[in-house]
Amino acid sequence: MPAMPAPSTMQCQPKVRTSQHAGDETLYPPCGAPVEWLFGIDALPAGRRKQVLDHALTELLALFKDRILPFDTAAARCYADLAMAARNDGRDLPAVDGYVAGIAASRGFIVASLDVSPYEAAGLQVINLWKAE
């Protein structure tokens, strides 16, 4: 097993992508996303809407089956660094958003979200989906 670099030497900042037209192959959901999607559908009352969404989610999960990013040791180290930096700056980085930030930062990825404030607090580059073209 390769040795992990010390936290102070880890790269926990995403690299900027130059492509303006990203295809599906550039999207990587973090490990918590399928849990939220599944819970949301399970919480719906029985009926056609729930069936349609469940079928669509099954297809979506198949599309992303090899691209769901884990919260691993590198992500944990980046999360800790980012959370401490946000805290020292007087900003809040909620744990769940921090996990996503750690996953993205440890892999050099940009976060795309409807709620950009936690990722901005972490100092990450984020695409605001409310304003995306």
Side-chain angles (χ1 to χ4, degrees):
M1 182 158 95
M4 287 292 299
S8 61
T9 63
M10 290 191 64
Q11 295 297 318
C12 291
Q13 293 298 318
K15 297 168 187 71
V16 178
R17 288 186 166 238
T18 57
S19 173
Q20 293 294 327
H21 303 286
D24 287 346
E25 70 279 355
T26 65
L27 301 175
Y28 292 83
C31 59
V35 173
E36 291 183 18
W37 302 335
L38 291 162
F39 177 80
I41 291 172
D42 284 349
L44 292 173
R48 175 129 174 85
R49 180 173 180 229
K50 183 174 185 170
Q51 289 175 335
V52 168
L53 289 172
D54 185 58
H55 178 73
L57 181 57
T58 299
E59 290 181 358
L60 183 69
L61 290 174
L63 177 67
F64 288 118
K65 76 179 181 96
D66 295 325
R67 289 186 282 152
I68 296 177
L69 300 173
F71 186 76
D72 56 14
T73 304
R77 289 182 185 274
C78 282
Y79 164 64
D81 291 346
L82 295 170
M84 186 53 72
R87 181 182 191 190
N88 289 340
D89 199 29
R91 301 179 85 177
D92 186 34
L93 182 58
V96 173
D97 296 317
Y99 300 155
V100 172
I103 291 168
S106 69
R107 288 160 176 81
F109 287 178
I110 297 169
V111 176
S113 179
L114 295 171
D115 181 9
V116 299
S117 61
Y119 307 107
E120 289 173 343
L124 298 180
Q125 184 173 0
V126 60
I127 297 169
N128 185 337
L129 293 175
W130 289 117
K131 296 179 181 177
E133 297 176 12

